[in-house]
Amino acid sequence: MSNVTYKYIRQNKDIQTYIEHSDAALFSIGYTEHSKAHAEIAAQTAFTILSTLNFDERICELAQIAAYMHDMGNVINRNDHAQSGAVMAFRLLDCMGMPAEEIAVIVSAIGNHDEKTARPVNPVAAAVILADKCDVRRSRVRHPVTEGAKGQEVTQDVHDRVNYACVKSSVGFSEDNSTIVLNLVIDEEISSIMEYFEIFLDRMVLCRKAAETLRVKFELIMNNSKVL
């Protein structure tokens, strides 16, 4: 087993720098927040998903590490950032002395998290997909403009608008742990549920496939109604 822990990864200055510069690059082209906050939320969610399903402790930690590092490739370019990030992670983890067996799991997960090319190729990849796509929150929107009947600050970009419309979100399990549930409360004066579902359909379908890889179901609840 490697001595490269999640705690060590979080404190690594090089990784922090790549995450900060990746987020700055996305900010410059109008994308939602992909900062350390997103990395930490995704890492915690990925760990919780696998630990709840009784996966080995080290596998759970590998999911934490992969989720924390998954968006670093944006420092190179938004296009193909999952694959770029996987190559970056390989170099960093290899230099740290992590065993090839563990690196292989992590880079596969990072390289398979973007919905355009993603596949839940292993449990860690499935957990990273779910953790990444379920981080829906208003605070991720960074370019709001004032519009709307109540003068809300709402971005004109439809992808940002559906994030801004989310006033509350949570991800967890059903009582019997057979279903992963993403529960959202949407302000329908900002974005309709249909608009939200149209924008995020590909992501939610990918979440369902990821959950199936973990042998559980995936449900999306919006304003107390099941939509997936």
Side-chain angles (χ1 to χ4, degrees):
M1 179 182 294
S2 170
N3 60 358
V4 180
T5 64
Y6 173 59
K7 181 179 179 180
Y8 177 80
I9 292 295
R10 282 186 64 195
Q11 295 174 346
N12 184 277
K13 297 298 183 182
D14 292 339
I15 292 174
Q16 289 184 26
T17 296
Y18 292 134
I19 292 174
E20 290 168 3
H21 281 261
S22 295
D23 186 47
L26 292 181
F27 175 80
S28 72
I29 59 176
Y31 274 78
T32 51
E33 172 262 321
H34 285 70
S35 69
K36 185 178 178 181
H38 173 58
E40 290 179 341
I41 289 170
Q44 183 57 50
T45 301
F47 178 86
T48 299
I49 287 171
L50 294 190
S51 61
T52 300
L53 296 175
N54 298 315
F55 278 84
D56 176 81
E57 183 178 352
R58 182 56 178 172
I59 293 296
C60 297
E61 188 169 34
L62 294 182
Q64 274 187 304
I65 293 171
Y68 189 80
M69 301 175 72
H70 78 278
D71 270 332
M72 290 191 309
N74 285 298
V75 75
I76 297 174
N77 196 291
R78 179 62 182 174
N79 293 330
D80 300 322
H81 75 281
Q83 289 75 30
S84 299
V87 174
M88 292 174 65
F90 168 78
R91 180 183 181 279
L92 288 161
L93 297 173
D94 186 50
C95 289
M96 294 176 192
M98 178 178 277
E101 185 67 30
E102 293 187 346
I103 294 176
V105 172
I106 290 173
V107 298
S108 291
I110 294 174
N112 278 282
H113 83 269
D114 184 67
E115 59 267 22
K116 295 177 182 178
T117 56
R119 297 290 186 275
V121 294
N122 57 48
V124 170
V128 171
I129 287 169
L130 287 159
D132 179 38
K133 308 313 173 191
C134 289
D135 184 18
V136 183
R137 48 191 165 88
R138 174 172 288 187
S139 59
R140 296 193 70 185
V141 178
R142 302 188 289 194
H143 296 277
V145 296
T146 301
E147 65 175 38
K150 294 183 179 180
Q152 306 102 325
E153 284 190 335
V154 185
T155 179
Q156 292 188 16
D157 180 84
V158 67
H159 296 86
D160 279 358
R161 187 162 64 248
V162 294
N163 268 293
Y164 194 85
C166 182
V167 296
K168 185 178 181 181
S169 67
S170 63
V171 57
F173 279 83
S174 59
E175 289 187 6
D176 62 357
N177 291 340
S178 66
T179 305
I180 298 171
V181 182
L182 175 59
N183 199 324
L184 305 177
V185 177
I186 302 296
D187 185 341
E188 295 186 62
E189 293 191 7
I190 297 175
S191 176
S192 69
I193 290 179
M194 181 58 69
E195 183 179 56
Y196 186 100
F197 191 67
E198 288 175 352
I199 293 299
F200 281 87
L201 177 60
D202 289 345
R203 302 181 190 187
M204 296 301 99
V205 170
L206 180 59
C207 283
R208 185 175 63 187
K209 293 179 179 177
E212 289 173 353
T213 296
L214 299 174
R215 299 187 179 182
V216 293
K217 298 178 182 179
F218 176 79
E219 286 186 0
L220 172 61
I221 308 295
M222 299 178 68
N223 294 359
N224 297 316
S225 296
K226 180 181 175 181
V227 297
L228 182 67

